[in-house]
Amino acid sequence: MPQTLVIKIGTSSLTQPETGLLALSTIATLAEVLSQLRSKGHRVILVSSGAVGVGSARLGLTERPKSIALKQAVAAVGQGRLMRVYDDLFTTLQQPIAQVLLTRSDLVQRSRYLNVYNTFRELLELGVIPIVNENDTVAVEELKFGDNDTLSALVASLVEADWLFLLTDVDKLYSADPRSVPDAKPISLVNSIKELTAMQVQTGGQGSQWGTGGMVTKISAARIATAAGVRTVITQGQYPHNISKIINGESIGTQFEPQPEPTGARKRWIAYGLVPLGKLYLDNGAATAISDGGKSLLAAGITEVKGEFDTQEAVGIFDGDGNEIARGLVNYSSNELQKIRGRHSREIREILGYEGAETVVHRDNLVLI
């Protein structure tokens, strides 16, 4: 049965670790595997890192650029060269591809979010493999995905994919970094992300010299994707044939089970498409009412308001211990909330001088994280 597959390949798999030059044999095998999957009727999207790494090698840089301006310039050099390599390989296999460059702002506005969805749908209907990357050349820091693991999870959520494959430089998730902890235990199946906390998995920090990811970003991506009902796999990028084997039922890599009741499309947009502009801290009663009772957020339960935001903008919602428990769209600006936080809903009219909404965040616009 045809399925929708999103495959993300990291810089560490696309390039040779010593030189930063492209690992052509891996890329050629990947193109072959994805073309075969397409010929079997599967819808395929490739999220590819590597523009900064390729640009750095082309310009003779010995390490990844640190300043934003230099990184954006290097990405502009690398992206064209990377797409040329893909185009040559896929053309040889008679498989059409398309370049799709996204910034976070493409997902923040609901209309643009739906437009991106429609573009993907049309490309997949045409039998094209979209090759997606963050538009590093124009993205501003506040509106960056931060890494392509997050981008791939958002794309998988957007198109309601069946599978998200995160191809990386390790064969699966371990209880600690196997490169530095010899007795780290492999993890083949994760039923829910909460399990990893219980197992005290050590995720480490940044990935390779040339990449921005690390295991922590992959687990974060799995959280986004599984909430959308997408089965997520971490497996080794050097062996792209693993993708077909995994789809056919082989137990390779680490698989994250999708949530049995995925979050709806609009709530996924609120939770992961939007960039929270402020933070609301709650007392214990309000935090419990939202986490366990599925209630709306009222002004009475808010203890602190941080950031500047307007009505209908996104905020993060935190419990008293500082843990983010939800995200939502607010019915009041930050200025209004500073005046009415901790007060009963019936007092709002008297405090503000006009009739406001009874809820600060209605449960229809609130998503548990």
Side-chain angles (χ1 to χ4, degrees), residues 109-125:
Q109 274 186 307
R110 185 76 179 146
S111 58
R112 285 169 74 176
Y113 180 88
L114 295 172
N115 194 42
V116 172
Y117 167 78
N118 289 330
T119 300
F120 277 122
R121 190 180 62 183
E122 290 296 334
L123 287 169
L124 296 174
E125 284 292 317

Side-chain angles (χ1 to χ4, degrees), residues 13 39 75 88 137 168 181 204 213 250 270 274 350 356:
S13 304
S39 67
D88 286 346
T137 307
T168 185
V181 183
E250 288 193 37
I270 292 171
L274 297 177
E350 188 181 334

Side-chain angles (χ1 to χ4, degrees), residues 57-75:
R58 177 72 185 89
L59 296 169
L61 303 181
T62 53
E63 61 177 33
R64 188 180 181 86
K66 302 217 169 20
S67 82
I68 294 170
L70 180 56
K71 186 182 168 194
Q72 290 177 323
V74 169

Side-chain angles (χ1 to χ4, degrees), residues 100-140:
V100 179
L101 295 175
L102 295 176
T103 64
R104 193 73 191 241
S105 53
D106 293 320
L107 303 185
V108 168
Q109 274 186 307
R110 185 76 179 146
S111 58
R112 285 169 74 176
Y113 180 88
L114 295 172
N115 194 42
V116 172
Y117 167 78
N118 289 330
T119 300
F120 277 122
R121 190 180 62 183
E122 290 296 334
L123 287 169
L124 296 174
E125 284 292 317
L126 290 166
V128 172
I129 295 180
I131 299 184
V132 185
N133 198 358
E134 178 162 15
N135 195 348
D136 277 319
T137 307
V138 299
V140 293

Side-chain angles (χ1 to χ4, degrees), residues 34-65:
L34 299 191
S35 297
Q36 287 167 356
L37 289 167
R38 256 301 309 135
S39 67
K40 291 176 181 170
H42 296 300
R43 295 170 294 274
V44 178
I45 296 173
L46 174 62
V47 178
S48 175
S49 302
V52 175
V54 172
S56 296
R58 177 72 185 89
L59 296 169
L61 303 181
T62 53
E63 61 177 33
R64 188 180 181 86

Side-chain angles (χ1 to χ4, degrees), residues 291-313:
S291 297
D292 301 339
K295 297 282 197 298
S296 298
L297 174 60
L298 305 177
I302 300 172
T303 58
E304 190 180 359
V305 177
K306 286 189 175 178
E308 291 185 15
F309 48 87
D310 214 332
T311 57
Q312 294 306 306
E313 290 189 322

Side-chain angles (χ1 to χ4, degrees), residues 190-202:
V190 178
N191 288 304
S192 83
I193 303 291
K194 288 177 185 170
E195 274 184 14
L196 299 179
T197 310
M199 289 155 60
Q200 295 185 312
V201 171
Q202 305 296 310

